[in-house]
Amino acid sequence: QLQLQESGPGLVKPSETLSLICSVSSGSISISSHSWGWIRQPPGKGLEWIGSIYYSGSTNYNPSLKSRVTISVDTSKNQFSLSLSSVTAADTAVYYCANTTKSNWFGPWGQGTLVTVSS
Amino acid sequence: EIVMTQSPATLSVSPGERATLSCRASQSVSSNLAWYQQKPGQAPRLLIFGASTRATGIPARFSGSGSGTEFTLSISSLQSEDFAVYYCQQHNYWPLTFGGGTKVEIK
């Protein structure tokens, strides 16, 4: 089954841009039934959907983050990415990437990566 | 935004007993409800989607039911590996939203 792995800096300064990559293995990122999403979880708290990108290339973002978020796919590398600009301490969280479908449930998930926003 | 409310926040259950977890949506999400299990230090794992369809590899002791605004996840006979936090997620409306979670702990 698909395997996903997040990578990127574990520490980002306030006002800068958080950039993460999700590498997909044991399957092609380009298969029409596959779509991709990002979800985050602040330490000790619940889950927050960030956004999703679909096989068509269309995206949907959480309105609470929409002005700061970009999700894109690089089919040549079998990866997709998350960019979150103008970060603050409130963006400190474990960031997960996940496979999704047009029906918008998530599975499987990557193991997650902790990103801390601090100067 | 659809608000998902899970109850109880913590459920204490003895191994072998049945656990029943609830999830309520602030408005109808039809049958577009998923359940996830998360163990400490691990990513969530999809258990149920479409309110009642078990994901691949999920044991039959996990079952989901409900529609509209009221949903239930039942675990028929708790095993040691089932003690975890469980989240519901509506997948009917944007933005997609999760409940706050129910922690199932050993009694």
Side-chain angles (χ1 to χ4, degrees), chain A residues 1 39 41 45-49 52 54 60-63 96 100 103-112, chain B residues 1 32 34 36 38 41-46 49-50 56 87 89-92 94-100:
Chain A
Q1 93 158 1
I39 303 100
Q41 185 172 35
K45 296 188 178 181
L47 300 164
E48 179 182 33
W49 171 71
S52 301
Y54 300 91
N60 270 296
Y61 300 133
N62 194 319
Y96 296 100
T100 185
S103 297
N104 296 306
W105 62 78
F106 297 98
W109 297 52
Q111 67 183 30
Chain B
E1 171 175 317
N32 295 310
Y36 303 87
Q38 186 177 34
Q42 296 186 18
R45 177 175 70 144
L46 177 68
F49 59 89
T56 302
Y87 293 96
Q89 176 229 333
Q90 63 84 15
H91 52 93
N92 195 58
W94 308 109
L96 308 176
T97 49
F98 292 85

Short mmCIF file of all heavy atoms in Angstrom, two decimals, chain A residues 1 39 41 45-49 52 54 60-63 96 100 103-112, chain B residues 1 32 34 36 38 41-46 49-50 56 87 89-92 94-100:
data_model
loop_
_atom_site.label_atom_id
_atom_site.label_comp_id
_atom_site.label_asym_id
_atom_site.label_seq_id
_atom_site.Cartn_x
_atom_site.Cartn_y
_atom_site.Cartn_z
N GLN A 1 0.82 -1.18 0.00
CA GLN A 1 0.00 0.00 0.00
C GLN A 1 0.86 1.24 0.00
O GLN A 1 2.06 1.18 0.29
CB GLN A 1 -0.96 -0.06 1.18
CG GLN A 1 -0.54 0.60 2.45
CD GLN A 1 -1.77 0.93 3.32
OE1 GLN A 1 -2.93 0.65 2.98
NE2 GLN A 1 -1.54 1.54 4.45
N ILE A 39 -2.75 17.83 6.97
CA ILE A 39 -3.47 18.00 8.22
C ILE A 39 -2.43 18.30 9.29
O ILE A 39 -1.31 17.79 9.24
CB ILE A 39 -4.23 16.70 8.61
CG1 ILE A 39 -5.20 16.27 7.49
CG2 ILE A 39 -4.97 16.88 9.91
CD1 ILE A 39 -4.64 15.16 6.61
N GLN A 41 -1.58 19.08 13.70
CA GLN A 41 -2.01 18.80 15.06
C GLN A 41 -1.09 19.53 16.03
O GLN A 41 0.04 19.09 16.25
CB GLN A 41 -1.99 17.29 15.32
CG GLN A 41 -2.54 16.88 16.67
CD GLN A 41 -2.66 15.38 16.80
OE1 GLN A 41 -1.85 14.62 16.28
NE2 GLN A 41 -3.71 14.93 17.49
N LYS A 45 -3.16 18.68 21.13
CA LYS A 45 -4.49 19.12 20.69
C LYS A 45 -5.02 18.23 19.57
O LYS A 45 -4.44 17.19 19.25
CB LYS A 45 -4.43 20.58 20.25
CG LYS A 45 -4.07 21.53 21.38
CD LYS A 45 -4.20 22.97 20.97
CE LYS A 45 -3.90 23.91 22.13
NZ LYS A 45 -4.04 25.34 21.74
N GLY A 46 -6.13 18.64 18.97
CA GLY A 46 -6.78 17.85 17.95
C GLY A 46 -6.28 18.15 16.54
O GLY A 46 -5.29 18.85 16.35
N LEU A 47 -6.98 17.59 15.57
CA LEU A 47 -6.57 17.64 14.17
C LEU A 47 -7.24 18.79 13.43
O LEU A 47 -8.42 19.07 13.63
CB LEU A 47 -6.93 16.32 13.50
CG LEU A 47 -6.28 15.07 14.11
CD1 LEU A 47 -6.99 13.81 13.64
CD2 LEU A 47 -4.81 15.01 13.73
N GLU A 48 -6.47 19.44 12.56
CA GLU A 48 -6.99 20.53 11.74
C GLU A 48 -6.62 20.27 10.27
O GLU A 48 -5.44 20.13 9.94
CB GLU A 48 -6.42 21.87 12.18
CG GLU A 48 -6.91 23.04 11.33
CD GLU A 48 -6.31 24.37 11.74
OE1 GLU A 48 -5.15 24.38 12.18
OE2 GLU A 48 -7.00 25.40 11.60
N TRP A 49 -7.62 20.21 9.42
CA TRP A 49 -7.38 20.06 7.99
C TRP A 49 -6.83 21.37 7.44
O TRP A 49 -7.38 22.45 7.69
CB TRP A 49 -8.68 19.69 7.29
CG TRP A 49 -8.62 19.72 5.79
CD1 TRP A 49 -7.95 18.86 4.97
CD2 TRP A 49 -9.26 20.66 4.94
NE1 TRP A 49 -8.14 19.20 3.66
CE2 TRP A 49 -8.94 20.30 3.60
CE3 TRP A 49 -10.08 21.77 5.15
CZ2 TRP A 49 -9.41 21.02 2.50
CZ3 TRP A 49 -10.55 22.47 4.05
CH2 TRP A 49 -10.21 22.10 2.75
N SER A 52 -6.27 20.30 0.50
CA SER A 52 -6.14 19.11 -0.34
C SER A 52 -5.95 19.50 -1.78
O SER A 52 -6.40 20.58 -2.21
CB SER A 52 -7.40 18.23 -0.22
OG SER A 52 -7.63 17.82 1.11
N TYR A 54 -6.29 17.72 -5.75
CA TYR A 54 -6.94 16.61 -6.42
C TYR A 54 -6.23 16.27 -7.72
O TYR A 54 -5.42 17.04 -8.24
CB TYR A 54 -8.42 16.93 -6.63
CG TYR A 54 -9.08 17.16 -5.30
CD1 TYR A 54 -9.13 18.44 -4.75
CD2 TYR A 54 -9.55 16.10 -4.54
CE1 TYR A 54 -9.65 18.65 -3.49
CE2 TYR A 54 -10.08 16.31 -3.28
CZ TYR A 54 -10.12 17.58 -2.76
OH TYR A 54 -10.63 17.78 -1.51
N ASN A 60 -8.38 22.70 -2.53
CA ASN A 60 -9.30 23.27 -1.56
C ASN A 60 -8.51 23.53 -0.29
O ASN A 60 -7.73 22.67 0.14
CB ASN A 60 -10.46 22.32 -1.25
CG ASN A 60 -11.64 22.54 -2.16
OD1 ASN A 60 -12.26 23.60 -2.14
ND2 ASN A 60 -11.95 21.57 -2.97
N TYR A 61 -8.70 24.70 0.28
CA TYR A 61 -7.97 25.08 1.48
C TYR A 61 -8.94 25.45 2.61
O TYR A 61 -10.05 25.92 2.36
CB TYR A 61 -7.06 26.28 1.20
CG TYR A 61 -6.02 26.06 0.13
CD1 TYR A 61 -5.83 27.01 -0.88
CD2 TYR A 61 -5.22 24.92 0.12
CE1 TYR A 61 -4.86 26.82 -1.86
CE2 TYR A 61 -4.26 24.73 -0.85
CZ TYR A 61 -4.08 25.67 -1.84
OH TYR A 61 -3.12 25.48 -2.82
N ASN A 62 -8.46 25.25 3.83
CA ASN A 62 -9.22 25.70 4.98
C ASN A 62 -9.28 27.23 4.94
O ASN A 62 -8.23 27.88 4.85
CB ASN A 62 -8.54 25.22 6.27
CG ASN A 62 -9.44 25.37 7.48
OD1 ASN A 62 -10.14 26.36 7.63
ND2 ASN A 62 -9.42 24.37 8.34
N PRO A 63 -10.49 27.80 5.01
CA PRO A 63 -10.59 29.27 4.95
C PRO A 63 -9.76 29.98 6.01
O PRO A 63 -9.31 31.10 5.79
CB PRO A 63 -12.09 29.52 5.16
CG PRO A 63 -12.75 28.28 4.68
CD PRO A 63 -11.81 27.17 5.04
N TYR A 96 1.01 16.48 9.08
CA TYR A 96 0.85 15.18 8.44
C TYR A 96 0.46 15.37 6.98
O TYR A 96 -0.38 16.23 6.67
CB TYR A 96 -0.26 14.37 9.10
CG TYR A 96 -0.03 13.97 10.54
CD1 TYR A 96 -0.61 14.67 11.58
CD2 TYR A 96 0.76 12.87 10.84
CE1 TYR A 96 -0.44 14.29 12.91
CE2 TYR A 96 0.96 12.47 12.17
CZ TYR A 96 0.36 13.19 13.18
OH TYR A 96 0.55 12.80 14.49
N THR A 100 -5.85 10.96 0.02
CA THR A 100 -7.28 11.15 0.16
C THR A 100 -7.93 10.78 -1.16
O THR A 100 -7.28 10.31 -2.09
CB THR A 100 -7.63 12.59 0.60
OG1 THR A 100 -9.03 12.69 0.83
CG2 THR A 100 -7.21 13.62 -0.45
N SER A 103 -13.80 11.69 -2.12
CA SER A 103 -14.77 11.67 -1.03
C SER A 103 -14.22 12.22 0.27
O SER A 103 -14.93 12.31 1.25
CB SER A 103 -15.28 10.24 -0.81
OG SER A 103 -15.97 9.78 -1.96
N ASN A 104 -12.89 12.57 0.24
CA ASN A 104 -12.32 13.40 1.31
C ASN A 104 -12.16 12.77 2.68
O ASN A 104 -12.20 13.49 3.69
CB ASN A 104 -13.10 14.71 1.41
CG ASN A 104 -12.95 15.53 0.16
OD1 ASN A 104 -11.83 15.82 -0.27
ND2 ASN A 104 -14.06 15.88 -0.44
N TRP A 105 -11.96 11.46 2.74
CA TRP A 105 -11.41 10.91 3.97
C TRP A 105 -9.93 10.66 3.73
O TRP A 105 -9.47 10.68 2.59
CB TRP A 105 -12.15 9.63 4.40
CG TRP A 105 -12.04 8.51 3.43
CD1 TRP A 105 -10.99 7.66 3.23
CD2 TRP A 105 -13.04 8.10 2.50
NE1 TRP A 105 -11.26 6.77 2.23
CE2 TRP A 105 -12.51 7.00 1.78
CE3 TRP A 105 -14.33 8.54 2.22
CZ2 TRP A 105 -13.25 6.35 0.79
CZ3 TRP A 105 -15.05 7.89 1.24
CH2 TRP A 105 -14.52 6.81 0.54
N PHE A 106 -9.18 10.42 4.83
CA PHE A 106 -7.73 10.39 4.73
C PHE A 106 -7.13 9.06 5.17
O PHE A 106 -7.37 8.60 6.28
CB PHE A 106 -7.13 11.51 5.59
CG PHE A 106 -7.53 12.88 5.14
CD1 PHE A 106 -8.57 13.55 5.77
CD2 PHE A 106 -6.88 13.49 4.08
CE1 PHE A 106 -8.95 14.82 5.34
CE2 PHE A 106 -7.26 14.76 3.65
CZ PHE A 106 -8.30 15.42 4.29
N GLY A 107 -6.33 8.47 4.30
CA GLY A 107 -5.61 7.27 4.67
C GLY A 107 -4.94 6.67 3.45
O GLY A 107 -5.54 6.62 2.38
N PRO A 108 -3.69 6.21 3.55
CA PRO A 108 -2.86 6.26 4.75
C PRO A 108 -2.25 7.64 4.98
O PRO A 108 -2.34 8.52 4.11
CB PRO A 108 -1.77 5.24 4.45
CG PRO A 108 -1.65 5.27 2.96
CD PRO A 108 -3.04 5.51 2.43
N TRP A 109 -1.64 7.80 6.15
CA TRP A 109 -1.01 9.03 6.57
C TRP A 109 0.50 8.84 6.64
O TRP A 109 0.97 7.73 6.85
CB TRP A 109 -1.49 9.44 7.97
CG TRP A 109 -2.95 9.73 8.08
CD1 TRP A 109 -4.00 8.95 7.68
CD2 TRP A 109 -3.53 10.88 8.70
NE1 TRP A 109 -5.19 9.55 8.00
CE2 TRP A 109 -4.95 10.74 8.63
CE3 TRP A 109 -3.02 12.03 9.30
CZ2 TRP A 109 -5.82 11.70 9.13
CZ3 TRP A 109 -3.89 12.98 9.81
CH2 TRP A 109 -5.28 12.81 9.72
N GLY A 110 1.23 9.93 6.49
CA GLY A 110 2.64 9.90 6.81
C GLY A 110 2.81 9.88 8.32
O GLY A 110 1.85 10.03 9.08
N GLN A 111 4.05 9.69 8.77
CA GLN A 111 4.31 9.59 10.21
C GLN A 111 4.22 10.93 10.91
O GLN A 111 4.10 10.98 12.14
CB GLN A 111 5.69 8.98 10.44
CG GLN A 111 6.85 9.86 10.00
CD GLN A 111 8.20 9.18 10.18
OE1 GLN A 111 8.32 7.96 10.10
NE2 GLN A 111 9.24 9.97 10.42
N GLY A 112 4.26 12.02 10.14
CA GLY A 112 4.18 13.36 10.72
C GLY A 112 5.55 13.95 11.00
O GLY A 112 6.52 13.23 11.26
N GLU B 1 -19.04 26.64 8.95
CA GLU B 1 -18.20 25.48 9.24
C GLU B 1 -18.97 24.50 10.12
O GLU B 1 -19.64 24.89 11.06
CB GLU B 1 -16.91 25.95 9.95
CG GLU B 1 -16.05 24.85 10.49
CD GLU B 1 -14.74 25.36 11.08
OE1 GLU B 1 -14.10 26.23 10.46
OE2 GLU B 1 -14.35 24.86 12.15
N ASN B 32 -21.49 11.01 5.41
CA ASN B 32 -20.10 11.33 5.10
C ASN B 32 -19.29 11.61 6.37
O ASN B 32 -18.91 12.75 6.68
CB ASN B 32 -20.04 12.51 4.14
CG ASN B 32 -20.65 12.14 2.80
OD1 ASN B 32 -20.30 11.10 2.21
ND2 ASN B 32 -21.57 12.95 2.31
N ALA B 34 -16.09 9.93 8.87
CA ALA B 34 -14.99 8.98 9.02
C ALA B 34 -14.53 8.94 10.46
O ALA B 34 -14.71 9.91 11.22
CB ALA B 34 -13.82 9.39 8.12
N TYR B 36 -11.08 7.78 12.94
CA TYR B 36 -9.65 7.52 12.97
C TYR B 36 -9.24 7.11 14.38
O TYR B 36 -9.82 7.57 15.37
CB TYR B 36 -8.85 8.76 12.57
CG TYR B 36 -9.20 9.31 11.21
CD1 TYR B 36 -10.24 10.21 11.05
CD2 TYR B 36 -8.49 8.91 10.08
CE1 TYR B 36 -10.57 10.70 9.81
CE2 TYR B 36 -8.81 9.41 8.82
CZ TYR B 36 -9.86 10.30 8.70
OH TYR B 36 -10.18 10.79 7.45
N GLN B 38 -5.80 7.10 16.86
CA GLN B 38 -4.44 7.63 17.01
C GLN B 38 -3.84 7.16 18.33
O GLN B 38 -4.39 7.42 19.40
CB GLN B 38 -4.41 9.15 16.94
CG GLN B 38 -3.00 9.72 16.94
CD GLN B 38 -2.95 11.23 16.82
OE1 GLN B 38 -3.81 11.94 17.32
NE2 GLN B 38 -1.92 11.73 16.12
N GLY B 41 2.26 9.26 19.82
CA GLY B 41 3.44 9.35 18.96
C GLY B 41 3.25 8.80 17.56
O GLY B 41 4.23 8.71 16.80
N GLN B 42 2.03 8.44 17.20
CA GLN B 42 1.76 7.88 15.88
C GLN B 42 0.78 8.76 15.11
O GLN B 42 0.07 9.58 15.68
CB GLN B 42 1.18 6.46 16.00
CG GLN B 42 2.13 5.46 16.61
CD GLN B 42 1.55 4.05 16.57
OE1 GLN B 42 0.62 3.75 15.82
NE2 GLN B 42 2.13 3.16 17.38
N ALA B 43 0.75 8.55 13.80
CA ALA B 43 -0.21 9.23 12.95
C ALA B 43 -1.59 8.59 13.12
O ALA B 43 -1.70 7.42 13.50
CB ALA B 43 0.22 9.15 11.50
N PRO B 44 -2.63 9.33 12.85
CA PRO B 44 -3.97 8.72 12.84
C PRO B 44 -4.05 7.62 11.79
O PRO B 44 -3.34 7.64 10.78
CB PRO B 44 -4.88 9.90 12.48
CG PRO B 44 -4.13 11.11 12.92
CD PRO B 44 -2.69 10.78 12.64
N ARG B 45 -4.93 6.65 12.07
CA ARG B 45 -5.19 5.56 11.14
C ARG B 45 -6.66 5.54 10.82
O ARG B 45 -7.50 5.59 11.72
CB ARG B 45 -4.75 4.22 11.76
CG ARG B 45 -5.05 3.01 10.88
CD ARG B 45 -4.52 1.72 11.45
NE ARG B 45 -5.22 1.25 12.64
CZ ARG B 45 -5.45 -0.03 12.93
NH1 ARG B 45 -5.07 -0.97 12.08
NH2 ARG B 45 -6.04 -0.36 14.06
N LEU B 46 -6.99 5.47 9.54
CA LEU B 46 -8.39 5.42 9.11
C LEU B 46 -9.02 4.10 9.53
O LEU B 46 -8.49 3.02 9.23
CB LEU B 46 -8.47 5.58 7.59
CG LEU B 46 -9.87 5.49 6.96
CD1 LEU B 46 -10.74 6.67 7.38
CD2 LEU B 46 -9.76 5.42 5.43
N PHE B 49 -15.06 4.86 6.99
CA PHE B 49 -15.48 5.99 6.17
C PHE B 49 -16.91 5.75 5.72
O PHE B 49 -17.44 4.64 5.81
CB PHE B 49 -14.53 6.20 4.98
CG PHE B 49 -14.43 5.01 4.05
CD1 PHE B 49 -15.30 4.87 2.98
CD2 PHE B 49 -13.45 4.04 4.24
CE1 PHE B 49 -15.21 3.79 2.12
CE2 PHE B 49 -13.34 2.96 3.39
CZ PHE B 49 -14.23 2.82 2.33
N GLY B 50 -17.56 6.82 5.25
CA GLY B 50 -18.95 6.69 4.86
C GLY B 50 -19.84 6.22 6.00
O GLY B 50 -20.82 5.51 5.78
N THR B 56 -9.58 -0.90 4.75
CA THR B 56 -8.85 -2.13 4.53
C THR B 56 -8.05 -2.54 5.76
O THR B 56 -7.32 -1.72 6.34
CB THR B 56 -7.90 -1.96 3.33
OG1 THR B 56 -8.65 -1.60 2.18
CG2 THR B 56 -7.15 -3.25 3.06
N TYR B 87 -10.90 9.93 16.68
CA TYR B 87 -11.42 11.17 16.12
C TYR B 87 -12.45 10.86 15.04
O TYR B 87 -12.29 9.92 14.26
CB TYR B 87 -10.29 11.99 15.47
CG TYR B 87 -9.27 12.54 16.42
CD1 TYR B 87 -8.07 11.88 16.66
CD2 TYR B 87 -9.49 13.75 17.08
CE1 TYR B 87 -7.12 12.39 17.53
CE2 TYR B 87 -8.54 14.27 17.95
CZ TYR B 87 -7.37 13.58 18.16
OH TYR B 87 -6.43 14.09 19.04
N GLN B 89 -14.47 12.69 11.67
CA GLN B 89 -14.24 13.74 10.68
C GLN B 89 -15.40 13.73 9.69
O GLN B 89 -15.74 12.68 9.15
CB GLN B 89 -12.94 13.51 9.91
CG GLN B 89 -12.69 14.51 8.78
CD GLN B 89 -12.31 13.87 7.47
OE1 GLN B 89 -11.76 12.77 7.41
NE2 GLN B 89 -12.62 14.54 6.36
N GLN B 90 -16.00 14.90 9.47
CA GLN B 90 -17.03 14.95 8.44
C GLN B 90 -16.38 15.21 7.09
O GLN B 90 -15.47 16.05 6.98
CB GLN B 90 -18.11 15.98 8.78
CG GLN B 90 -17.68 17.43 8.86
CD GLN B 90 -17.65 18.13 7.51
OE1 GLN B 90 -18.20 17.65 6.52
NE2 GLN B 90 -16.98 19.29 7.46
N HIS B 91 -16.80 14.44 6.08
CA HIS B 91 -16.24 14.64 4.74
C HIS B 91 -17.35 14.96 3.75
O HIS B 91 -17.37 14.49 2.61
CB HIS B 91 -15.37 13.45 4.30
CG HIS B 91 -16.01 12.08 4.41
ND1 HIS B 91 -16.69 11.50 3.37
CD2 HIS B 91 -16.01 11.18 5.42
CE1 HIS B 91 -17.09 10.29 3.74
NE2 HIS B 91 -16.70 10.08 4.97
N ASN B 92 -18.27 15.82 4.22
CA ASN B 92 -19.40 16.23 3.38
C ASN B 92 -19.31 17.68 2.93
O ASN B 92 -19.80 18.02 1.84
CB ASN B 92 -20.71 16.04 4.17
CG ASN B 92 -21.93 16.07 3.28
OD1 ASN B 92 -22.05 15.29 2.35
ND2 ASN B 92 -22.84 16.99 3.57
N TRP B 94 -16.98 21.55 2.88
CA TRP B 94 -15.77 22.34 3.11
C TRP B 94 -16.09 23.42 4.14
O TRP B 94 -17.15 24.00 4.10
CB TRP B 94 -15.31 23.01 1.81
CG TRP B 94 -15.17 22.10 0.65
CD1 TRP B 94 -15.96 22.03 -0.45
CD2 TRP B 94 -14.17 21.09 0.49
NE1 TRP B 94 -15.53 21.05 -1.27
CE2 TRP B 94 -14.42 20.45 -0.74
CE3 TRP B 94 -13.08 20.66 1.26
CZ2 TRP B 94 -13.62 19.42 -1.20
CZ3 TRP B 94 -12.30 19.64 0.78
CH2 TRP B 94 -12.57 19.03 -0.43
N PRO B 95 -15.15 23.72 5.07
CA PRO B 95 -13.90 22.97 5.26
C PRO B 95 -14.14 21.64 5.96
O PRO B 95 -15.06 21.51 6.77
CB PRO B 95 -13.08 23.91 6.14
CG PRO B 95 -14.11 24.63 6.94
CD PRO B 95 -15.29 24.81 6.03
N LEU B 96 -13.31 20.66 5.64
CA LEU B 96 -13.37 19.38 6.35
C LEU B 96 -13.02 19.64 7.82
O LEU B 96 -12.11 20.41 8.13
CB LEU B 96 -12.36 18.41 5.74
CG LEU B 96 -12.46 18.22 4.22
CD1 LEU B 96 -11.34 17.31 3.71
CD2 LEU B 96 -13.82 17.68 3.83
N THR B 97 -13.77 19.02 8.72
CA THR B 97 -13.56 19.28 10.14
C THR B 97 -13.54 17.99 10.95
O THR B 97 -14.23 17.01 10.60
CB THR B 97 -14.64 20.22 10.70
OG1 THR B 97 -15.94 19.74 10.31
CG2 THR B 97 -14.45 21.65 10.19
N PHE B 98 -12.77 18.03 12.02
CA PHE B 98 -12.60 16.89 12.93
C PHE B 98 -13.25 17.20 14.28
O PHE B 98 -13.32 18.37 14.69
CB PHE B 98 -11.11 16.62 13.18
CG PHE B 98 -10.36 16.11 11.99
CD1 PHE B 98 -9.82 17.00 11.05
CD2 PHE B 98 -10.15 14.75 11.79
CE1 PHE B 98 -9.11 16.54 9.95
CE2 PHE B 98 -9.42 14.28 10.70
CZ PHE B 98 -8.92 15.18 9.78
N GLY B 99 -13.64 16.15 14.97
CA GLY B 99 -14.05 16.29 16.35
C GLY B 99 -12.84 16.43 17.25
O GLY B 99 -11.69 16.23 16.82
N GLY B 100 -13.09 16.74 18.51
CA GLY B 100 -12.01 16.97 19.45
C GLY B 100 -11.38 15.70 20.00
O GLY B 100 -10.36 15.77 20.69
#
